[in-house]
Amino acid sequence: MKCHECRDLLSPYLDNMTSDDENKRITVHLTACHSCYREMQEMKLMLEGIGILKGDIALPAGYTDELHERLLEHKTSLWGKRQAMPAARPGSWIAASIAALALGAGIWMSSFVPYAQVADVLQKAVPAVFDRSHQQVKPEIEKIIADKTKEMQNEQGKQSGSQATPSTPQQVAVVDTTNPQSKSGPAATENPQKPAVTAPAVKVETPKVVPVVAMKVNVENLDTAISLLKNQGESENTTIAVANNDIHTLAAGRERVVSIQVPETQVDEWTNLLDNLGNATSPSSRTEDVTKTYYSLSDEIASLQQQLAAPSVTNSDQLKAQLIEFQKQLQAIKDRLKLVTITVTLHEEVAP
Amino acid sequence: MILRVEMPVGTGSLHIRGGGRSIDEQELLKKARSGDVLAFEQLVAKYQQKVYSLAFRYMGNEEDASDMSQEALLKSYKSLRNFKGDSSFGTWLYRITTNVCLDELRRRKRRNQHFSILSIDEPVATSDGEEVEKEIADTAPLQDTIIDRKEFSEYISKLLDQMKPEYRTVIILRDIMDFTYEEIAQILDCSIGTVKSRINRARNILKKKMVGQGGF
C-alpha cells in the first residue's frame, strides 16, 4: 500500500468502515511508515478534540410552546377553512347525501325514465348546491326530485296505456308495487285510485360534532396527577374518564389519556388547572365527529323498540336490557354534544 | 351490532414495534398527515432535541438554532405527505433540518458577500494560475491559552464555521452528531463512497488547520 492510499482510507479505518483486507494492508503500512502513523495519531487526537461537542443540547425554554403556536398558525392556513365548517368533512357529507339521494331517486325513477335523464338532472343541480351546508342542500334536492316527479307524471299520464317505458328486469324488481303507472300488466288496473308515485323517504343525518380541546402535560408523577384530577372532578361534579391503560411511549416514560367533559364556561378554569399540573403544551382545539355512532345507536334503539312492540316477541327481557344500554350510550353522547371535551395526555418521564 | 365508539386521540393505541416503525408511529403519522397538530407533536417529540442540536451545530447560536429547527419541523409538517418511508422518519427530519440550515447559511453568505467572508479550505488562484490555500490570520486561541472545555468548544466551532458547507456538514453529522455513514448518505442523498471520501477530506482540512495553529 502506498502512502496516499493509506491516507485516503484513514478516516474510514478509524470509523471501522474498511474491509478486513484493507485493515490488514493499512496495519502493515502503518507499522512500516512513520509519517502515515503520525497522520493517524493526529487525526485520532483531533477527533477526540471534536468529541467535546458531542451530545444533544437542551431545548431553550418555551421552545415547544413556540413550535406549537407556529404549527397552529400553519394549520390554520392549510386546513383552517375546512375546520371552520360544522362537520369534520362537510364536503363528504354533502356528497354522500347527494349520492344517497341520487341512488334512491335513480332506483325509484328508473321505473319510468332512462338513467341518463336522472343523471342529467342531478348533475345540473349538484354544482349549484355543493358549496352550501347540508341543511341547505336537503330541501333543494327534495324539490328537484318533486319537480321532476311531477313533470314525469305528466308525461307518463300522456303516454299511459299505449307506451310503457321499457325497463330491465332489475328495474322491474324495485318498482313500487303501489304505483299502477309504473308497470304494465294486470296491477295497472287493480287500484287506479291510489296515488301515482310516493317519493322514497330519504334519511338525512345531521352532523353531530363534539368540540374537543387537546393538550399534553408532562407531570412528575402520573398517578398523583390522575388522582388530583379525579378529586377536582368529584368536587365539581364533572365527568372524568381515565383511559384504562398506560401508553408506553417511544421515548422514556408513560402516558395516560384523560377525558374531561365540562361546560364551555369552565374550559379556561380546567386548562389553567392542567397547566399547573406540570409542563403543559398550549391547548389546541379540534372537533370529534360522533355522527356515525349517534345514528347507529338511534337506529338500534328504534329497531329494538319495534321488536319489543311486536306481539310475537319472545326474548323481551334481553331486548329491554340491550335497549337500556343503547339508550344510556346515546344519552352519554347527547351529554357530550352539549359540553366541551378536554382531552389531556398526561406524560410521566421515567429515567432510562 | 358491533358498536365502535370513537375514542379521543391516543387512547387504546397499540405500541408494538415492527418493521422499523412502530404501529404507534404509523398511527401518529396518519393523523399528522391529516393535519392533527397534537399527533405531529407526539411524533416529533423524540427527535426534536436532536433536530435542535443539529441546527445549533450549523447555526452556532441558540436563537438561530431555535428558529431554523422550528422552520425544519414546520416544513416537515407541511410536507408529511412526501415522506414515503424510504428512510426512517428521523433521518428524513435530519435531512430537512440540514437543508434548511444550509439554505439559510448560503442565503446569508450571498447577502454578506461584500464583506468577503473567507472559507479556510477554499483555494485561491495565484497570478500564475496555481491554486494555493489561503493564509488566514490566526484568530483562534492557541494551545497554551486554551484553558477550559468551553473555550476549546468555541475554538472548534469557529474553525468549523470557516469551512465549506459540504465539509462542515459531514464533520457535524459524523463527528459531532454521531450518525453512521449509511445515515449520512441518506441525509445527504449521496453514496456511501462519497460520504467516505468527503469525511476524510474534511477531517484532513480541519486537522491541518488545528496542527498549524497548535490546536493540539
Side-chain angles (χ1 to χ4, degrees):
Chain A
M1 179 177 271
K2 291 181 178 167
C3 287
H4 73 87
E5 278 181 86
C6 177
R7 289 181 191 196
D8 282 350
L9 289 171
L10 270 186
S11 281
Y13 175 71
L14 291 172
D15 288 329
N16 297 319
M17 288 297 290
T18 37
S19 65
D20 289 346
D21 178 53
E22 284 170 331
N23 285 343
K24 276 182 203 161
R25 290 166 61 217
I26 293 167
T27 313
V28 169
H29 182 83
L30 288 175
T31 321
C33 178
H34 177 71
S35 167
C36 284
Y37 180 78
R38 202 178 148 216
E39 277 287 321
M40 187 196 66
Q41 289 300 331
E42 283 176 358
M43 193 173 277
K44 269 172 108 173
L45 255 175
M46 181 197 72
L47 293 178
E48 276 173 31
I50 300 175
I52 205 166
L53 299 179
K54 278 187 184 179
D56 286 345
I57 301 164
L59 294 173
Y63 181 91
T64 44
D65 287 347
E66 200 185 322
L67 176 66
H68 184 76
E69 289 305 316
R70 289 178 76 174
L71 283 166
L72 285 182
E73 274 171 35
H74 272 270
K75 187 181 176 177
T76 313
S77 63
L78 287 171
W79 286 282
K81 230 176 179 178
R82 280 168 57 177
Q83 270 214 324
M85 299 182 84
R89 290 183 64 198
S92 63
W93 270 100
I94 297 165
S97 311
I98 290 168
L101 287 165
L103 184 68
I107 291 168
W108 158 63
M109 287 193 278
S110 65
S111 54
F112 44 87
V113 292
Y115 282 118
Q117 208 176 333
V118 179
D120 185 47
V121 174
L122 285 165
Q123 244 175 19
K124 281 177 188 160
V126 168
V129 297
F130 200 81
D131 289 336
R132 275 172 271 157
S133 80
H134 181 264
Q135 286 304 306
Q136 286 173 305
V137 173
K138 185 188 158 198
E140 291 201 47
I141 294 178
E142 282 173 345
K143 189 175 176 295
I144 292 164
I145 293 171
D147 288 351
K148 197 64 198 171
T149 307
K150 217 175 187 179
E151 190 186 307
M152 285 185 296
Q153 277 171 10
N154 291 338
E155 277 178 25
Q156 289 285 311
K158 284 177 205 163
Q159 294 168 0
S160 64
S162 54
Q163 283 181 335
T165 309
S167 6
T168 63
Q170 288 92 336
Q171 287 165 352
V172 172
V174 292
V175 163
D176 184 352
T177 50
T178 61
N179 176 8
Q181 292 189 19
S182 66
K183 59 177 182 179
S184 55
T189 51
E190 276 171 16
N191 299 306
Q193 288 84 16
K194 278 198 172 181
V197 177
T198 311
V202 178
K203 189 185 156 199
V204 176
E205 295 180 349
T206 317
K208 303 289 179 195
V209 176
V210 177
V212 177
V213 172
M215 65 193 291
K216 188 174 176 178
V217 186
N218 292 319
V219 293
E220 269 181 29
N221 187 304
L222 193 59
D223 302 317
T224 314
I226 290 171
S227 57
L228 242 160
L229 288 177
K230 277 183 177 169
N231 287 344
Q232 182 72 14
E234 271 170 30
S235 67
E236 294 199 10
N237 207 15
T238 302
T239 310
I240 293 190
V242 181
N244 291 330
N245 298 310
D246 283 354
I247 299 168
H248 294 279
T249 56
L250 295 170
R254 58 191 190 113
E255 285 182 357
R256 191 81 72 91
V257 176
V258 178
S259 200
I260 307 161
Q261 290 163 36
V262 295
E264 206 179 339
T265 48
Q266 286 178 22
V267 172
D268 282 347
E269 185 191 323
W270 272 92
T271 50
N272 283 339
L273 175 87
L274 290 165
D275 209 19
N276 291 329
L277 276 182
N279 187 11
T281 58
S282 307
S284 64
S285 303
R286 58 183 173 82
T287 53
E288 187 188 335
D289 192 346
V290 292
T291 319
K292 230 180 189 174
T293 317
Y294 184 97
Y295 284 104
S296 63
L297 278 169
S298 307
D299 288 350
E300 284 299 323
I301 289 167
S303 147
L304 284 169
Q305 282 169 337
Q306 242 176 19
Q307 286 178 50
L308 279 164
S312 58
V313 64
T314 50
N315 54 343
S316 66
D317 286 347
Q318 201 185 335
L319 292 177
K320 269 181 196 164
Q322 216 168 12
L323 178 66
I324 290 167
E325 178 56 28
F326 288 157
Q327 280 172 333
K328 233 194 251 175
Q329 290 180 12
L330 184 64
Q331 191 53 48
I333 291 181
K334 282 180 178 170
D335 290 344
R336 281 194 70 196
L337 287 165
K338 287 182 216 152
L339 301 166
V340 177
T341 301
I342 302 176
T343 301
V344 57
T345 308
L346 296 172
H347 177 87
E348 180 194 295
E349 288 287 347
V350 174
Chain B
M1 184 195 72
I2 298 166
L3 185 68
R4 189 178 166 275
V5 179
E6 292 175 23
M7 299 296 284
V9 177
T11 49
S13 59
L14 290 169
H15 293 259
I16 303 164
R17 284 173 185 272
R21 194 165 296 122
S22 69
I23 288 179
D24 189 54
E25 189 165 290
Q26 284 177 1
E27 190 58 33
L28 289 172
L29 254 172
K30 202 171 145 192
K31 284 179 181 166
R33 277 191 179 121
S34 62
D36 188 331
V37 167
L38 201 74
F40 179 77
E41 285 172 333
Q42 284 178 292
L43 186 65
V44 299
K46 72 165 178 168
Y47 304 105
Q48 65 187 17
Q49 192 170 6
K50 202 155 190 169
V51 165
Y52 172 77
S53 304
L54 182 59
F56 189 94
R57 292 305 170 202
Y58 280 115
M59 307 310 294
N61 67 73
E62 191 179 287
E63 196 185 338
D64 285 343
S66 191
D67 204 29
M68 288 302 108
S69 57
Q70 288 192 4
E71 191 61 41
L73 290 170
L74 282 173
K75 205 168 177 179
S76 59
Y77 173 68
K78 283 196 286 179
S79 53
L80 266 183
R81 281 171 200 281
N82 299 335
F83 174 62
K84 305 287 183 222
D86 302 334
S87 62
S88 75
F89 182 67
T91 307
W92 184 70
L93 281 181
Y94 306 137
R95 184 176 179 170
I96 293 175
T97 310
T98 294
N99 289 337
V100 165
C101 292
L102 290 180
D103 283 349
E104 175 62 15
L105 291 170
R106 278 188 209 109
R107 201 180 61 80
R108 289 183 187 185
K109 192 181 173 186
R110 276 198 303 274
R111 201 179 52 197
N112 296 328
Q113 242 164 9
H114 61 282
F115 292 123
S116 303
I117 288 178
L118 298 175
S119 173
I120 59 169
D121 50 327
E122 203 172 333
V124 284
T126 59
S127 53
D128 58 357
E130 191 193 352
E131 280 198 340
V132 294
E133 286 207 26
K134 280 172 192 160
E135 289 295 327
I136 301 169
D138 184 7
T139 52
L142 292 173
Q143 190 179 23
D144 56 351
T145 59
I146 296 172
I147 48 164
D148 63 14
R149 196 184 161 87
K150 189 170 173 276
E151 249 185 286
F152 190 69
S153 299
E154 282 169 5
Y155 162 70
I156 294 176
S157 302
K158 208 166 194 174
L159 288 182
L160 285 173
D161 282 350
Q162 294 169 339
M163 289 179 86
K164 269 169 87 172
E166 63 184 282
Y167 295 132
R168 181 177 172 187
T169 299
V170 288
I171 295 280
I172 289 173
L173 293 175
R174 174 68 201 140
D175 298 327
I176 298 174
M177 301 301 294
D178 252 345
F179 287 114
T180 64
Y181 279 52
E182 286 85 359
E183 285 169 331
I184 297 171
Q186 284 185 341
I187 292 171
L188 301 179
D189 197 19
C190 63
S191 69
I192 291 189
T194 307
V195 174
K196 276 186 188 176
S197 59
R198 212 178 277 178
I199 288 175
N200 201 47
R201 172 89 179 123
R203 284 177 180 170
N204 276 317
I205 291 165
L206 193 59
K207 180 169 71 70
K208 206 171 174 184
K209 288 313 291 180
M210 285 172 87
V211 172
Q213 294 177 3
F216 46 63

